[in-house]
Amino acid sequence: MMTPEQIVASHKANVETLFGLTAKAFEGVEKMVELNLRVAKAALDESANNTQAALSVKDAQELLSMQANLFQPLAEKTAAYSRHLYDIASGTNSEFTKAFEAQTAAAQKQFSNFVDSAAQNAPAGSEQAVAMMKGAVTAANTAFESVQKAVKQATDLAETNLAAVTQTAAPKAAKKK
């Protein structure tokens, strides 16, 4: 059983984790807001420049040429924006994942200690029940580790795919010109 001091320490650690994760979430939101403000300002400046350029066009051929030249930078900027957004979300998610894994490891350790304590205090003849409980705990931990590995592999695959799409988006836009 846990002592009152251990319970207080556990609650204190949980509150610290909560505040730490809240701070990380706000950092992620701040980064997204900053990114969106930079993008909006750049788009506004670019729009003003493009409008000025369009007003100085002398014929339809020049206007078509100008429009065609706008597509490649737009595709590159969209890909860069998506990548920045993904990096922010991925970084924030990484912090949450680390905290979750640490909390899960602590909970697994506490539960394992509880099972060991219960096994030591179990009445004679209950060895089989204790062994079954320990086996169930081990199986649950193994299953959880397998899920964690699968999630990590899926995340890595998604990141690789996003990088590939980002790298190929700009050249494809350039070829369409």
Side-chain angles (χ1 to χ4, degrees):
M1 286 289 166
M2 291 181 67
T3 65
E5 292 83 17
Q6 290 172 321
I7 292 171
V8 169
S10 176
H11 286 295
K12 183 180 177 184
N14 289 339
V15 168
E16 288 174 1
T17 300
L18 174 66
F19 283 122
L21 291 176
T22 302
K24 290 295 178 187
F26 275 108
E27 284 177 25
V29 170
E30 285 176 339
K31 288 177 183 178
M32 285 182 178
V33 168
E34 288 173 10
L35 174 64
N36 286 331
L37 285 174
R38 281 195 315 264
V39 168
K41 185 178 183 318
L44 185 62
D45 290 344
E46 202 170 295
S47 177
N49 291 337
N50 291 338
T51 301
Q52 289 297 326
L55 292 174
S56 67
V57 169
K58 295 177 179 70
D59 60 17
Q61 187 65 27
E62 189 177 345
L63 180 62
L64 290 174
S65 175
M66 185 184 84
Q67 285 179 332
N69 289 333
L70 296 176
F71 286 120
Q72 181 181 1
L74 181 62
E76 291 170 355
K77 288 174 187 172
T78 301
Y81 174 79
S82 296
R83 183 67 189 170
H84 279 88
L85 203 57
Y86 177 81
D87 288 344
I88 291 168
S90 178
T92 302
N93 184 47
S94 174
E95 293 296 326
F96 276 84
T97 301
K98 286 178 191 173
F100 175 73
E101 288 173 353
Q103 291 291 76
T104 302
Q108 286 174 336
K109 183 178 178 185
Q110 283 180 340
F111 189 72
S112 181
N113 289 342
F114 172 75
V115 170
D116 289 342
S117 174
Q120 290 174 354
N121 297 323
S126 61
E127 292 84 13
Q128 187 176 11
V130 170
M132 279 184 12
M133 185 181 285
K134 284 185 176 183
V137 168
T138 301
N141 288 343
T142 302
F144 180 74
E145 288 172 5
S146 296
V147 169
Q148 278 183 313
K149 287 178 185 176
V151 168
K152 172 105 173 81
Q153 288 173 344
T155 302
D156 291 345
L157 180 63
E159 189 169 324
T160 301
N161 289 342
L162 180 66
V165 167
T166 302
Q167 289 176 347
T168 58
K172 283 184 179 179
K175 287 180 183 177
K176 288 183 180 179
K177 281 191 349 180

